[in-house]
């Protein structure tokens, strides 16, 4: 935590997001020096942190703010998601020479980090601008797309088929959840 805060401050003073320094601290302590190793407890704490961050930022999002951008942002999220998936698929196929691994890499690349984007928008003061609202709406649509793609992949891996009915239920459950959180969150 100390290194994350320290590098966060350094990157902020360089005119960048503190999130960049925090991620760099994780790379240094985890991947490079192996001081911090992933564990079930650490993953649960990280997930809790993401949920809290999304809730805090979600209280700043109002349904009225994203309504005007919903169709154009959804189109852009789908187009960007397809390009990300295709790029990840090609790289996965070239490196691993396996279609299943290539599909998985494509889905991972498709899954962007929404909390990071929202935090950077909040830090830069762009969260409530016209462009910020468009990005927030795109991130919501992109998250739905990524979850559906991952669910379809897991279903295919486990059952060797894709169950469209279950994916449709999941889609409407996610949309309902997002609308519920946005409407209640802004009032809370």
């Amino acid at each position: 935590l100390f290194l994350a805060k320290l590098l966060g401050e350094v990157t902020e003073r360089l005119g960048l997001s503190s999130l960049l320094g925090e991620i760099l601290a994780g790379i240094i302590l985890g991947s490079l020096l192996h001081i911090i190793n992933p564990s079930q407890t650490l993953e649960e704490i990280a997930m809790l942190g993401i949920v809290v961050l999304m809730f805090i930022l979600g209280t700043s999002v109002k349904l009225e703010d994203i309504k005007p951008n919903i169709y154009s942002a959804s189109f852009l999220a789908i187009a960007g998601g397809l390009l990300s998936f295709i790029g990840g698929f090609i790289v996965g196929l070239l490196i691993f020479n396996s279609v299943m691994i290539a599909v998985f890499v494509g889905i991972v690349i498709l899954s962007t980090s929404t909390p990071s984007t929202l935090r950077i928008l909040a830090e830069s003061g762009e969260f409530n601008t016209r462009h910020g609202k468009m990005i927030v709406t795109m991130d919501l649509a992109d998250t739905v797309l990524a979850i559906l793609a991952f669910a379809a992949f897991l279903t295919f891996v486990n059952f060797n088929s894709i169950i469209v009915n279950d994916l449709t239920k999941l889609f409407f459950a996610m949309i309902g959840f997002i609308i519920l959180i946005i409407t209640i969150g802004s009032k809370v």
Side-chain angles (χ1 to χ4, degrees):
L1 290 176
F2 175 75
L3 186 62
K5 187 65 177 165
L6 178 69
L7 291 179
E9 287 291 324
V10 169
T11 54
E12 260 187 47
R13 290 172 195 239
L14 293 172
L16 303 169
S17 172
S18 64
L19 184 62
L20 182 63
E22 294 165 5
I23 291 172
L24 187 59
I27 291 170
I28 291 170
L29 294 176
S31 300
L32 295 177
L33 301 177
H34 301 289
I35 293 172
I36 297 177
N37 297 311
S39 68
Q40 185 68 26
T41 305
L42 187 60
E43 286 182 22
E44 289 173 7
I45 291 170
M47 290 304 292
L48 180 63
I50 290 171
V51 169
V52 169
L53 176 64
M54 288 191 71
F55 180 76
I56 290 169
L57 293 172
T59 59
S60 304
V61 177
K62 295 182 179 82
L63 187 58
E64 306 85 50
D65 291 341
I66 66 169
K67 270 186 186 177
N69 302 319
I70 199 125
Y71 295 113
S72 56
S74 295
F75 173 77
L76 289 172
I78 290 169
L82 284 174
L83 288 174
S84 298
F85 175 80
I86 291 169
F89 179 83
I90 291 170
V91 169
L93 196 59
L94 291 173
I95 293 174
F96 298 104
N97 199 26
S98 166
V99 173
M100 287 302 281
I101 292 175
V103 169
F104 182 74
V105 170
I107 291 171
V108 167
I109 299 297
L110 165 70
S111 305
T112 59
S113 183
T114 299
S116 300
T117 306
L118 297 180
R119 182 165 163 204
I120 290 169
L121 284 172
E123 283 181 3
S124 66
E126 296 289 322
F127 194 79
N128 287 315
T129 65
R130 182 175 163 265
H131 292 97
K133 290 175 186 175
M134 177 66 115
I135 291 170
V136 168
T137 309
M138 284 176 56
D139 262 355
L140 289 173
D142 188 52
T143 300
V144 170
L145 181 64
I147 291 171
L148 286 174
F150 193 64
F153 179 75
L154 287 178
T155 302
F156 184 78
V157 167
N158 289 324
F159 302 109
N160 211 18
S161 68
I162 295 175
I163 305 168
V164 177
N165 189 32
D166 288 347
L167 289 177
T168 305
K169 290 176 189 175
L170 177 62
F171 172 76
F172 285 113
M174 285 187 298
I175 297 298
F177 179 76
I178 289 169
I179 290 171
L180 180 72
I181 292 301
I182 289 174
T183 54
I184 292 174
S186 62
K187 290 178 181 157
V188 171

